[in-house]
Amino acid sequence: MSFLRLHDVCAGYGQADILRGVSLELEAGTVTCVIGPNGAGKSTVLRVLSGLLKPRVGTVEFAGDPVGGLSPAVLLRKGIVHVPQERSLFPLMTIWDNLLMGGHSLRDGALARRRAGEIAERFPLIEERRHERAGTLSGGQQKLIEIARALMLDPRLILLDEPTMGLDAKARHAVFETVKSLNEGGRTILLVEQNARLGLSVSHVGAVMDMGVVRLVDEASKLLGDPRVAALYLGGNPDTRANGGAARAQG
Ligand SMILES: Nc1ncnc2c1ncn2[C@@H]1O[C@H](COP(=O)(O)OP(=O)(O)OP(=O)(O)O)[C@@H](O)[C@H]1O
Ligand SMILES: [Mg+2]
């Protein structure tokens, strides 16, 4: 049984159909990287999984239960957290308070503070700068805090949407090291990544999306060596480009 299974999912915004029958399965404890051109529907898949968008057709199963169309709050309680593509910290609040906000729905301040303390032990940045405003952090540092905040509910599935967007090589490295260590701690991760080569290099499985469907799923190492994927998504050395630009084929 798959840990997460999407079958023939269709979804969209208003009149627009964006997902046109997405099927994808994730095994527990794996990292799966979704790559594909701008507008392919990658973020839309994550929005369906976190309940921000309801599927019109198709099924979503998580740990054996149907979860398609449930609200974000219910899906959070089931253990699915979403770190969205856009920045989402509260810039005027301290780093520590941002972290605590991730545990708001626990409705138990003592538990939230204990969890935040445990998380801070693994993120030196939090220990060092907890009393500073989040808005004073660099983009890469903010992304690390967003990921740390997502851990407050002890999630079983983490949805990470383009966590290295706009980051330099050093910050990208820090984000990917964090992804690896979360996975080594047993968490299942669905990663959308603009930088296909780097994303696949930290993943077990890769899925290529285009025009609202998943076109190809394979072991990440095989996708890295697949000439079709290389031609479309892996051109150039990502570390020589400010924003991983070559990894994004224009659809
Ligand atoms: N809130 C919205 N309202 C209307 N259309 C939207 C909305 N969000 C996304 N879309 C459209 O849905 C399509 C898929 O968008 P989505 O954000 O899922 O793509 P993506 O694969 O994540 O792209 P990118 O790599 O640029 O992040 C695009 O054509 C986009 O314009
Ligand atoms: Mg996106």
Side-chain angles (χ1 to χ4, degrees):
M1 185 188 69
S2 300
F3 187 57
L4 178 75
R5 178 171 176 271
L6 292 96
H7 182 68
D8 223 4
V9 168
C10 299
Y13 308 94
Q15 302 292 315
D17 294 320
I18 304 299
L19 303 185
R20 302 157 197 270
V22 167
S23 296
L24 183 66
E25 298 191 20
L26 267 62
E27 295 303 322
T30 58
V31 182
T32 299
C33 181
V34 179
I35 60 175
N38 297 129
K42 306 179 299 294
S43 296
T44 302
V45 168
L46 300 196
R47 287 184 203 121
V48 166
L49 291 173
S50 65
L52 294 174
L53 189 66
K54 294 197 189 313
R56 293 174 179 157
V57 180
T59 53
V60 184
E61 286 168 18
F62 178 59
D65 295 331
V67 297
L70 297 181
S71 72
V74 170
L75 289 165
L76 260 184
R77 277 203 295 280
K78 285 184 176 286
I80 301 178
V81 293
H82 184 184
V83 180
Q85 188 167 344
E86 51 281 356
R87 289 204 182 145
S88 62
L89 293 183
F90 299 97
L92 299 181
M93 282 170 55
T94 64
I95 290 157
W96 183 251
D97 285 344
N98 267 281
L99 187 60
L100 287 178
M101 286 296 284
H104 181 69
S105 65
L106 292 170
R107 308 220 173 280
D108 179 342
L111 174 61
R113 285 190 294 278
R114 192 165 70 242
R115 286 236 178 116
E118 288 162 7
I119 291 166
E121 284 173 18
R122 292 163 50 198
F123 287 81
L125 179 64
I126 298 174
E127 296 279 23
E128 286 158 20
R129 298 183 61 174
R130 56 197 284 165
H131 299 302
E132 293 177 40
R133 289 182 177 188
T136 65
L137 296 173
S138 71
Q141 291 168 332
Q142 291 192 33
K143 195 47 81 174
L144 290 178
I145 303 299
E146 288 177 36
I147 295 171
R149 182 177 62 180
L151 299 178
M152 285 292 290
L153 297 179
D154 194 17
R156 300 161 77 193
L157 172 65
I158 304 176
L159 310 171
L160 280 180
D161 199 346
E162 306 220 17
T164 68
M165 188 171 61
L167 304 187
D168 66 18
K170 188 167 165 238
R172 284 204 300 265
H173 180 75
V175 168
F176 280 123
E177 285 303 309
T178 302
V179 169
K180 272 197 260 179
S181 82
L182 293 180
N183 175 246
E184 282 159 11
R187 307 214 194 243
T188 309
I189 297 171
L190 182 55
L191 168 71
V192 170
E193 185 48 55
Q194 55 176 309
N195 195 315
R197 189 184 301 278
L198 280 180
L200 290 171
S201 72
V202 295
S203 301
H204 303 96
V205 176
V208 181
M209 271 195 82
D210 192 21
M211 312 258 302
V213 294
V214 174
R215 298 244 181 246
L216 190 60
V217 179
D218 208 340
E219 286 170 36
S221 55
K222 287 195 183 147
L223 283 185
L224 276 167
D226 186 316
R228 292 165 299 174
V229 175
L232 273 173
Y233 305 111
L234 302 177
N237 174 0
D239 282 338
T240 62
R241 290 161 205 273
N243 201 11
R248 311 195 116 183
Q250 293 303 314

